[in-house]
């Protein structure tokens, strides 16, 4: 009888895991992080299913301005971002908007890697940094 009880528990746990009830990603917090050693900080973020956009608010924490070469995420449905302020002055922030023409569906989870290519100052060399975005579309 003990063996039968253990078998029922194992089958129940397996069924819950298969249906996604025990999926740990459902319980992970929403976040936007950029490697801070790059001199940039992801201050805020937003997704919109009605406008099919992802907005990243990026702050330059360097002592000199940066020129954005590209801002993108590894979700194939979204294009490279356009940033409102380019170049971005020292200690300033800007909104970078990614268009997602394939559409964002409400309640979908977005888990993506952010990639930013930039240049420090007018004559600086090209650099890149990465980060992560994890959120739920409202």
């Amino acid at each position: 009888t003990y063996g039968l009880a253990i078998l029922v528990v194992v089958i129940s746990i397996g069924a819950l895991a298969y249906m996604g009830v025990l999926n740990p990603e459902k319980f992970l917090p929403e976040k936007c992080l950029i490697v801070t050693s790059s001199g940039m900080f992801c201050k805020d973020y937003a997704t919109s299913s009605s406008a099919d956009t992802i907005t990243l608010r990026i702050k330059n924490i360097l002592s000199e301005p940066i020129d954005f070469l590209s801002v993108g995420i590894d979700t194939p449905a979204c294009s490279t971002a356009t940033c409102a302020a380019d170049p971005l002055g020292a200690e300033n922030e800007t909104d970078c908007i990614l268009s997602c023409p394939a559409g964002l569906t409400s309640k979908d989870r977005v888990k993506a890697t952010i990639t930013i290519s930039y240049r420090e100052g007018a004559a600086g060399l090209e650099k890149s940094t990465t980060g992560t975005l994890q959120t739920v579309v409202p």
Side-chain angles (χ1 to χ4, degrees):
T1 57
Y2 287 116
L4 187 57
I6 292 172
L7 183 62
V8 168
V9 169
V10 169
I11 290 174
S12 299
I13 291 173
L16 289 173
Y18 179 75
M19 291 185 289
V21 174
L22 300 178
N23 187 353
E25 287 189 8
K26 287 186 175 183
F27 306 107
L28 293 177
E30 294 186 25
K31 64 181 177 180
C32 177
L33 298 172
I34 297 175
V35 178
T36 55
S37 62
S38 67
M40 281 178 267
F41 175 71
C42 184
K43 189 169 182 181
D44 202 4
Y45 59 93
T47 57
S48 170
S49 59
S50 60
D52 292 330
T53 59
I54 297 174
T55 304
L56 303 173
R57 182 164 294 155
I58 298 173
K59 182 171 183 173
N60 177 6
I61 54 177
L62 294 171
S63 59
E64 60 182 276
I66 59 171
D67 289 320
F68 289 109
L69 302 175
S70 69
V71 177
I73 61 175
D74 65 351
T75 302
C78 297
S79 63
T80 302
T82 55
C83 298
D86 194 11
L88 179 60
E91 297 299 323
N92 289 332
E93 59 189 53
T94 186
D95 288 345
C96 296
I97 301 171
L98 293 111
S99 175
C100 304
L104 296 172
T105 306
S106 183
K107 305 294 183 212
D108 274 357
R109 295 193 65 78
V110 175
K111 185 175 180 185
T113 301
I114 304 166
T115 305
I116 302 173
S117 295
Y118 65 99
R119 183 176 293 132
E120 288 182 44
L125 297 174
E126 182 177 334
K127 298 179 180 179
S128 71
T129 187
T130 59
T132 57
L133 173 67
Q134 186 169 313
T135 186
V136 176
V137 179

